Amino acid sequence: MDEIFGIPAPLLFGQLLLGLINGAFYAMLSLGLAVIFGLLNIINFTHGAQFMMGAFAAWMLLAWAGLGYWWALVLAPIIVGFTGIILEKLFISRLYKLDHLYGLLLTLGLGLIIEGVFRNQFGSSGLPYRIPAELSGAWDLGFMYMPIYRGWVVVAALFFCISTWLIIEKTRLGAYLRAATERAELVQAFGINVPRMITLTYGAGVALAAVAGVLAAPIYSVNPQMGSNLIIVVFAVVVIGGMGSILGSIITGFGLGIVEGLTKVFYPEASATVIFVIMAIVLLARPAGLFGRA
Amino acid sequence: MSSETTLTAIPTGVVGKQAPGIWGFNGSQLIALLLLVAALGLAPFFLYPVFVMKLLCFALFACAFNLLIGYVGLMSFGHAAYFGMGGYIAGHAAKVWGLTPELSIIAGGLVGAGLGVLGGWLAIRRQGIYFAMITMALAQMVYFFCVQAPFTGGEDGIQAIPRGKLFGVISMDSDMAMYWLVAVVFLMGFMFIHRIIHSPFGQVMKAIRENEPRTTSLGYRTDDYKLVAFILSCGLAGVAGAVKTLVFGIATLTDVHFSMSGEVVLMTLVGGLGTIFGPVIGAAVVVGMQNYLAEMGAWVTVIQGGIFVACVLAFRRGIVGEIGNLFKVKL
């Protein structure tokens, strides 16, 4: 078991794991985008900035308040989600009657503001965030060494994704949410406070981005651009998966991460572009996306 | 797409009724055009010519972008790809192949249009925000291509590009000579866009913007119209990028980066979506702002974001649109 297809096994599995981790972030971010889009009809361009805010929140909690990783995992999404709620109340809620594209432009502007403020405050070189002691080290799996933290990221991301899916598909709250996605006026007529639900949904989608940010903080250096580089890929992931299905965006996210990891092994030159190429192919074969409704 | 309000909530949508005027310009537009030409003639004597040239390149770029968003209702979030690639090709043509500036610019425009054929062919398969996301992803692909491709010089870009001799005769090395070339290219591009909008083809474009299903039901193959409009816009963006490269003698990754795509959206939005003169004014505002606030570093990004937010919330017609609304004229 030293070589698979002429590739050294540790290299192959190492890249697969990296791909899986990227896939975890793709899945969490595209899931948040899909949830927000479903109810608000807005593509949240601020999502990358909010992912970055999650990572910075973790860093600030540690540096300024002495609260470690586990606290950050709980507090950062609440804090960032709350800022999301404020943004929705102040700005985004004014646009629901307009074309989708205004929402896109507004959230793009908000993202620029947030990113610029963080760059002024913290520079663009990036801040280190240490892996928590409980999760440092590596396991010897026999065929490769797996850093425990990386395994944890995949497991945690799966947990958050599946929880979101269960909440939306299996709970009463999720039923309201799905109903409001289809026909908001009718749900409101049944006495449910739809505007508040929209606000909270935006907050929840943002919180999901922030969780991804906290998970990413020890892997990537915490810097103001970390979100904007990721978010364009996530948009391609969303186009590939289609935003119709929650489970679909999870599968697409993880799947594309793995494909990207494998490309790094077999044809490294294309690893940065492979997802965009897949997007082009999917658009040709199935314009609505793999899981989308036309 | 919501049917309540279309993207361009500007009172320009009186399709079919044309005010009398010269070359399709109505009275107020003719005055604005004369002012623009006068400004073009006087600007280099009052302002730093290179700055005005930069402004004109972005103005043409924004006009090309506005052709899509303002008149077909297609929001491309990846126009930097066509602008930047036009610049790279023109730089390569002028430096390595030794082509004259006019041929380099044409090469830039053709490559922009060619890339637009591919990008448009893929992107028009989806509508609304998906269209925006697809164009953005494709542009990111072009960006990564430019990072890796040998001819672009990666992080260094193509440097020390000669301006060359126009038609092989007139040296473009002095800024004033270059300025008149840029001004002429800009004006030609501007008039070309105006001509497109006022052609029968342009009427169908506007019909698609207002109501695509109805246009389809009238027997127009809307996808073909959208694709042609996309290609024209990308070709003009390529021309703008090519001119910018020749002016500065350098083609870099900045011009293909996503933030450039965002900036052209901002210029058009500030000036006024779907107005002929709006993108020119918007480009002047954004480029001028960058120029005078350059020492503020990342705050420029914050200010730009703030302008986006302000425009979307309070100011959707843009500067020229608001002026037009104030005086009840179409600009």
Side-chain angles (χ1 to χ4, degrees), chain A residues 248-270:
Chain A
S249 32
I250 300 172
I251 295 169
T252 317
F254 275 101
L256 287 171
I258 292 171
V259 169
E260 202 182 35
L262 289 178
T263 317
K264 274 203 188 98
V265 180
F266 290 104
Y267 190 56
E269 292 82 3

Side-chain angles (χ1 to χ4, degrees), chain B residues 132-247:
Chain B
M133 289 195 286
I134 292 164
T135 47
M136 186 173 168
L138 291 172
Q140 190 72 354
M141 190 156 101
V142 172
Y143 174 78
F144 283 124
F145 169 79
C146 290
V147 172
Q148 291 176 339
F151 86 97
T152 59
E155 299 283 342
D156 299 329
I158 308 178
Q159 295 182 354
I161 299 162
R163 286 182 185 169
K165 291 189 166 74
L166 188 66
F167 306 119
V169 188
I170 312 159
S171 167
M172 287 287 116
D173 288 336
S174 89
D175 282 343
M176 280 312 264
M178 191 68 201
Y179 176 80
W180 297 118
L181 174 65
V182 176
V184 167
V185 171
F186 166 76
L187 214 55
M188 279 166 59
F190 184 82
M191 296 303 279
F192 180 50
I193 290 169
H194 177 78
R195 188 72 197 85
I196 295 170
I197 293 165
H198 290 272
S199 66
F201 174 79
Q203 298 295 346
V204 181
M205 275 172 29
K206 282 178 257 180
I208 293 172
R209 176 189 74 190
E210 299 297 325
N211 193 334
E212 190 175 346
R214 185 174 289 177
T215 316
T216 310
S217 78
L218 288 173
Y220 292 103
R221 292 208 284 208
T222 52
D223 276 0
D224 294 357
Y225 282 86
K226 278 153 71 174
L227 181 58
V228 172
F230 195 85
I231 296 167
L232 288 169
S233 171
C234 294
L236 285 162
V239 168
V243 176
K244 177 171 178 276
T245 295
L246 290 181
V247 169

Side-chain angles (χ1 to χ4, degrees), chain B residues 247-265:
Chain B
V247 169
F248 288 96
I250 182 167
T252 60
L253 288 172
T254 319
D255 290 347
V256 275
H257 190 254
F258 166 68
S259 46
M260 185 61 77
S261 299
E263 264 169 35
V264 75
V265 178

Side-chain angles (χ1 to χ4, degrees), chain A residues 198-273:
Chain A
I198 290 176
T199 306
L200 292 178
T201 303
Y202 187 75
V206 170
L208 209 55
V211 172
V214 178
L215 291 176
I219 297 184
Y220 308 118
S221 77
V222 179
N223 75 73
Q225 287 93 34
M226 63 190 291
S228 56
N229 295 331
L230 194 58
I231 199 68
I232 302 180
V233 183
V234 173
F235 283 155
V237 172
V238 165
V239 172
I240 294 169
M243 284 186 288
S245 140
I246 296 294
L247 206 54
S249 32
I250 300 172
I251 295 169
T252 317
F254 275 101
L256 287 171
I258 292 171
V259 169
E260 202 182 35
L262 289 178
T263 317
K264 274 203 188 98
V265 180
F266 290 104
Y267 190 56
E269 292 82 3
S271 61
T273 45

Side-chain angles (χ1 to χ4, degrees), chain B residues 54-138:
Chain B
K54 181 180 176 190
L55 198 161
L56 289 178
C57 294
F58 281 109
L60 181 58
F61 183 27
C63 287
F65 173 78
N66 184 43
L67 182 65
L68 276 185
I69 180 65
Y71 295 94
V72 204
L74 294 176
M75 169 63 92
S76 163
F77 246 102
H79 248 47
Y82 314 102
F83 179 74
M85 200 46 122
Y88 272 125
I89 296 299
H92 189 74
K95 189 178 180 184
V96 181
W97 299 337
L99 291 188
T100 52
E102 74 284 357
L103 290 178
S104 308
I105 292 170
I106 291 170
L110 286 178
V111 168
L115 210 55
V117 174
L118 283 177
W121 183 58
L122 286 169
I124 58 168
R125 285 158 194 270
R126 300 298 301 272
Q127 279 145 353
I129 47 142
Y130 279 100
F131 182 90
M133 289 195 286
I134 292 164
T135 47
M136 186 173 168
L138 291 172

